[in-house]
Amino acid sequence: DGGITQSPKYLFRKEGQNVTLSCEQNLNHDAMYWYRQDPGQGLRLIYYSQIVNDFQKGDIAEGYSVSREKKESFPLTVTSAQKNPTAFYLCASAKQGHPNYGYTFGSGTRLTVV
Amino acid sequence: AQSVTQLDSHVSVSEGTPVLLRCNYSSSYSPSLFWYVQHPNKGLQLLLKYTSAATLVKGINGFEAEFKKSETSFHLTKPSAHMSDAAEYFCVVRGPGDSNYQLIWGAGTKLIIKP
């Protein structure tokens, strides 16, 4: 079955560490997105990519980095510059040119700073 | 600019009674609107979408929503709540442009079902 896989499900980071969250999809979707979710707030867009080797900053890109070397993969690195990284991170994908189909989401990664 | 407001942060209903989750939007053009559901510690699932076709949209699990342009609303309803409906619901409006279709998210409404 096609879908999006995020790993790990839970991740703990020490102060000053970089960590990378994985997102892989086998839906042949062109566009991929990273969102951050905090309690009582809607999702906020971190980065998005509409084609391989290209990506754009979203609303809260500071302290994060991404790459899109393959269509299937869109990893997110949370750097030490991100001052408050504890949150639930969601990856999504969508088929370019068919925006009204909506997004397909992964099951999320919960990141906690210890 | 587009925006979306979910009018209630929490809604509590008894099992078997109707559900109403309210959403108002602001858009300078004809919008596409979505409702997503998120169960605890899970990703999000598309419930239904409005894309300028029929104004009454039917979704999964017995939910439906009506697009009312005059009221700029897209409220989500269900005739009879089930315990499994307990989750958080997000109203979403699609951003502008043909290829740049980022989504603008409401803050969410937590639906609580009382037995």
Side-chain angles (χ1 to χ4, degrees):
Chain A
D1 286 337
I4 296 184
T5 302
Q6 288 187 242
S7 62
K9 191 173 178 66
Y10 298 95
L11 186 58
F12 297 90
R13 190 194 94 168
K14 294 181 180 179
E15 297 278 355
Q17 244 182 3
N18 291 358
V19 291
T20 297
L21 284 59
S22 171
C23 178
E24 304 276 334
Q25 54 99 0
N26 60 4
L27 299 164
N28 198 34
H29 283 174
D30 300 291
M32 296 187 74
Y33 302 78
W34 274 106
Y35 285 93
R36 172 180 170 138
Q37 186 177 28
D38 294 283
Q41 297 190 38
L43 275 65
R44 293 183 290 167
L45 183 64
I46 304 172
Y47 269 98
Y48 66 100
S49 167
Q50 294 182 317
I51 56 173
V52 174
N53 292 323
D54 187 48
F55 48 83
Q56 285 79 42
K57 293 182 179 180
D59 301 320
I60 55 165
E62 185 175 350
Y64 299 96
S65 65
V66 293
S67 63
R68 186 87 187 276
E69 296 176 2
K70 298 187 301 181
K71 187 175 185 178
E72 301 79 19
S73 179
F74 191 42
L76 173 74
T77 296
V78 184
T79 75
S80 57
Q82 171 48 239
K83 297 306 176 189
N84 184 23
T86 295
F88 191 53
Y89 291 87
L90 286 159
C91 179
S93 71
K95 191 165 181 60
Q96 188 79 337
H98 295 274
N100 293 328
Y101 288 175
Y103 288 15
T104 301
F105 281 86
S107 56
T109 293
R110 185 164 298 281
L111 174 63
T112 304
V113 173
V114 297
Chain B
Q2 292 73 39
S3 67
V4 59
T5 302
Q6 291 183 243
L7 298 167
D8 306 291
S9 60
H10 293 79
V11 169
S12 181
V13 302
S14 297
E15 190 175 20
T17 65
V19 174
L20 170 63
L21 305 183
R22 298 181 295 165
C23 173
N24 286 107
Y25 69 92
S26 170
S27 179
S28 55
Y29 61 98
S30 184
S32 294
L33 294 154
F34 305 80
W35 276 98
Y36 281 83
V37 60
Q38 184 180 33
H39 289 90
N41 291 311
K42 301 284 188 189
L44 290 99
Q45 181 183 21
L46 180 65
L47 267 182
L48 50 80
K49 60 181 185 280
Y50 166 76
T51 57
S52 74
T55 56
L56 182 62
V57 181
K58 294 189 183 299
I60 61 171
N61 301 336
F63 284 94
E64 61 182 39
E66 187 171 7
F67 174 71
K68 292 187 177 180
K69 187 174 181 179
S70 61
E71 299 176 10
T72 60
S73 70
F74 190 56
H75 302 333
L76 182 70
T77 61
K78 183 173 180 178
S80 176
H82 190 271
M83 293 300 290
S84 61
D85 295 328
E88 190 154 21
Y89 293 78
F90 293 92
C91 183
V92 186
V93 62
R94 180 168 72 83
D98 291 330
S99 60
N100 179 7
Y101 47 93
Q102 298 167 56
L103 304 182
I104 298 158
W105 294 77
T109 298
K110 194 160 287 187
L111 178 60
I112 300 160
I113 311 295
K114 297 178 289 187

